[in-house]
Amino acid sequence: MYFVILGTDKPDMVQQRRDAISAVVSYVQDQSSHPDVAVHCAGPTLDEEGNMNGTFNLIEAPSHDAARDYLANYPLQKMGLLEDVIVRHLDWKTGCPE
């Protein structure tokens, strides 16, 4: 099953967000930390000036609980930098990009 995780950074967290980017990249790339989840696409969302203002992850997980567990250990979530996060099941209608 595919899931979209979309999070919005808390206000005034720009420097903390920049400081956390290497931890986020490591988490997303290190499959051993979440062996039941495959990350297909991930990256920061940007505001109109090009500053990071949130996060986007497209993952494949066996269940909604597994997707939430992935999020619970996501560095930005663990550090308390995300204000609003949604996890939504995605039903591909046009086919999953490879």
Side-chain angles (χ1 to χ4, degrees), residues 1 8 10 17 29 34 47-49 57 59 73 78 80 97:
M1 298 184 340
T8 302
K10 289 181 179 175
R17 181 67 153 82
Q29 291 179 341
H34 41 82
D47 65 16
E48 292 178 4
E49 289 80 41
N57 286 251
I59 65 171
N73 291 302
K78 286 179 77 171

Side-chain angles (χ1 to χ4, degrees), residues 58-72:
L58 173 59
I59 65 171
E60 187 173 359
S63 66
H64 209 135
D65 285 340
R68 284 193 288 266
D69 287 345
Y70 168 85
L71 173 62

Side-chain angles (χ1 to χ4, degrees), residues 28-51:
V28 168
Q29 291 179 341
D30 182 7
Q31 297 297 303
S32 67
S33 63
H34 41 82
D36 59 341
V37 173
V39 179
H40 292 285
C41 179
T45 59
L46 307 174
D47 65 16
E48 292 178 4
E49 289 80 41
N51 298 308

